[in-house]
Amino acid sequence: MKKEAEIRVYGAEQICASCVNLPSSKETYEWLKAAVSRKFPGQPFTIRYIDIFNPPEESEAKAFSERVVEEDLFYPVVTMDGEIIGEGNPKLKDVYKKMEEHGYRPE
């Protein structure tokens, strides 16, 4: 494993206007956390939920939150290493692929 992966889920309590009938950002965060934990058991990773309308003071999280709002990205937006790996309705396959690129091995 290269380094411990950090997945970030940027979203808001209000569901994205273009994402009606999809899970909320927080539901997506919980779903991803559970799915990745099952796919890569015993392999440490971090997953963070970041509210785009109330981001932490950390410059990277704050700047990306502003980008989501300004560029009207479909949220939740899932990132790893600053790269968008899913938005609106993220695909597990894409998240798993990125994890494997970090050296994680599915079990």
mmCIF file of all heavy atoms in Angstrom, residues 52-53 64-73:
data_model
loop_
_atom_site.group_PDB
_atom_site.id
_atom_site.type_symbol
_atom_site.label_atom_id
_atom_site.label_comp_id
_atom_site.label_asym_id
_atom_site.label_seq_id
_atom_site.Cartn_x
_atom_site.Cartn_y
_atom_site.Cartn_z
ATOM 1 N N ILE A 52 -20.430 21.312 1.933
ATOM 2 C CA ILE A 52 -19.938 22.353 1.025
ATOM 3 C C ILE A 52 -20.375 23.756 1.428
ATOM 4 O O ILE A 52 -19.749 24.739 1.027
ATOM 5 C CB ILE A 52 -20.345 22.074 -0.443
ATOM 6 C CG1 ILE A 52 -21.861 22.004 -0.597
ATOM 7 C CG2 ILE A 52 -19.660 20.812 -0.954
ATOM 8 C CD1 ILE A 52 -22.360 21.865 -2.034
ATOM 9 N N PHE A 53 -21.428 23.864 2.226
ATOM 10 C CA PHE A 53 -21.895 25.178 2.654
ATOM 11 C C PHE A 53 -21.346 25.567 4.024
ATOM 12 O O PHE A 53 -21.542 26.687 4.484
ATOM 13 C CB PHE A 53 -23.425 25.234 2.652
ATOM 14 C CG PHE A 53 -23.992 25.062 1.267
ATOM 15 C CD1 PHE A 53 -24.746 23.950 0.944
ATOM 16 C CD2 PHE A 53 -23.746 25.997 0.268
ATOM 17 C CE1 PHE A 53 -25.265 23.771 -0.330
ATOM 18 C CE2 PHE A 53 -24.243 25.826 -1.019
ATOM 19 C CZ PHE A 53 -25.012 24.719 -1.324
ATOM 20 N N PHE A 64 -12.115 23.378 -2.412
ATOM 21 C CA PHE A 64 -12.870 22.426 -3.230
ATOM 22 C C PHE A 64 -14.367 22.597 -3.011
ATOM 23 O O PHE A 64 -15.153 22.479 -3.955
ATOM 24 C CB PHE A 64 -12.441 20.976 -2.978
ATOM 25 C CG PHE A 64 -12.944 20.060 -4.045
ATOM 26 C CD1 PHE A 64 -12.246 19.903 -5.231
ATOM 27 C CD2 PHE A 64 -14.149 19.384 -3.895
ATOM 28 C CE1 PHE A 64 -12.740 19.087 -6.241
ATOM 29 C CE2 PHE A 64 -14.644 18.567 -4.899
ATOM 30 C CZ PHE A 64 -13.933 18.421 -6.077
ATOM 31 N N SER A 65 -14.772 22.895 -1.784
ATOM 32 C CA SER A 65 -16.193 23.150 -1.504
ATOM 33 C C SER A 65 -16.696 24.321 -2.337
ATOM 34 O O SER A 65 -17.784 24.265 -2.919
ATOM 35 C CB SER A 65 -16.401 23.436 -0.013
ATOM 36 O OG SER A 65 -16.109 22.299 0.758
ATOM 37 N N GLU A 66 -15.897 25.379 -2.416
ATOM 38 C CA GLU A 66 -16.260 26.541 -3.238
ATOM 39 C C GLU A 66 -16.366 26.150 -4.707
ATOM 40 O O GLU A 66 -17.258 26.606 -5.413
ATOM 41 C CB GLU A 66 -15.238 27.661 -3.044
ATOM 42 C CG GLU A 66 -15.303 28.299 -1.673
ATOM 43 C CD GLU A 66 -14.151 29.255 -1.381
ATOM 44 O OE1 GLU A 66 -13.317 29.508 -2.283
ATOM 45 O OE2 GLU A 66 -14.086 29.735 -0.233
ATOM 46 N N ARG A 67 -15.460 25.293 -5.155
ATOM 47 C CA ARG A 67 -15.496 24.830 -6.554
ATOM 48 C C ARG A 67 -16.793 24.072 -6.847
ATOM 49 O O ARG A 67 -17.405 24.257 -7.895
ATOM 50 C CB ARG A 67 -14.288 23.937 -6.827
ATOM 51 C CG ARG A 67 -14.265 23.390 -8.221
ATOM 52 C CD ARG A 67 -13.050 22.526 -8.476
ATOM 53 N NE ARG A 67 -13.221 21.822 -9.741
ATOM 54 C CZ ARG A 67 -12.562 20.753 -10.080
ATOM 55 N NH1 ARG A 67 -11.631 20.251 -9.295
ATOM 56 N NH2 ARG A 67 -12.799 20.160 -11.233
ATOM 57 N N VAL A 68 -17.206 23.205 -5.923
ATOM 58 C CA VAL A 68 -18.443 22.434 -6.110
ATOM 59 C C VAL A 68 -19.618 23.389 -6.313
ATOM 60 O O VAL A 68 -20.433 23.211 -7.215
ATOM 61 C CB VAL A 68 -18.711 21.490 -4.917
ATOM 62 C CG1 VAL A 68 -20.088 20.854 -5.021
ATOM 63 C CG2 VAL A 68 -17.637 20.414 -4.836
ATOM 64 N N VAL A 69 -19.682 24.430 -5.488
ATOM 65 C CA VAL A 69 -20.777 25.391 -5.571
ATOM 66 C C VAL A 69 -20.677 26.232 -6.838
ATOM 67 O O VAL A 69 -21.644 26.357 -7.595
ATOM 68 C CB VAL A 69 -20.801 26.298 -4.309
ATOM 69 C CG1 VAL A 69 -21.832 27.405 -4.457
ATOM 70 C CG2 VAL A 69 -21.074 25.461 -3.064
ATOM 71 N N GLU A 70 -19.490 26.798 -7.091
ATOM 72 C CA GLU A 70 -19.305 27.697 -8.238
ATOM 73 C C GLU A 70 -19.494 27.005 -9.584
ATOM 74 O O GLU A 70 -20.039 27.583 -10.517
ATOM 75 C CB GLU A 70 -17.927 28.351 -8.178
ATOM 76 C CG GLU A 70 -17.807 29.365 -7.067
ATOM 77 C CD GLU A 70 -16.379 29.860 -6.851
ATOM 78 O OE1 GLU A 70 -15.490 29.509 -7.661
ATOM 79 O OE2 GLU A 70 -16.168 30.582 -5.866
ATOM 80 N N GLU A 71 -19.033 25.766 -9.692
ATOM 81 C CA GLU A 71 -19.111 25.043 -10.966
ATOM 82 C C GLU A 71 -20.383 24.209 -11.080
ATOM 83 O O GLU A 71 -20.547 23.474 -12.059
ATOM 84 C CB GLU A 71 -17.874 24.158 -11.142
ATOM 85 C CG GLU A 71 -16.595 24.950 -11.278
ATOM 86 C CD GLU A 71 -15.372 24.074 -11.470
ATOM 87 O OE1 GLU A 71 -15.509 22.864 -11.790
ATOM 88 O OE2 GLU A 71 -14.258 24.605 -11.293
ATOM 89 N N ASP A 72 -21.278 24.331 -10.095
ATOM 90 C CA ASP A 72 -22.534 23.574 -10.093
ATOM 91 C C ASP A 72 -22.310 22.083 -10.315
ATOM 92 O O ASP A 72 -23.016 21.447 -11.101
ATOM 93 C CB ASP A 72 -23.505 24.117 -11.146
ATOM 94 C CG ASP A 72 -24.074 25.465 -10.776
ATOM 95 O OD1 ASP A 72 -24.307 25.692 -9.567
ATOM 96 O OD2 ASP A 72 -24.281 26.286 -11.685
ATOM 97 N N LEU A 73 -21.324 21.529 -9.622
ATOM 98 C CA LEU A 73 -21.087 20.088 -9.717
ATOM 99 C C LEU A 73 -22.239 19.363 -9.035
ATOM 100 O O LEU A 73 -22.843 19.872 -8.096
ATOM 101 C CB LEU A 73 -19.762 19.719 -9.047
ATOM 102 C CG LEU A 73 -18.502 20.331 -9.651
ATOM 103 C CD1 LEU A 73 -17.281 19.944 -8.825
ATOM 104 C CD2 LEU A 73 -18.314 19.894 -11.087
#
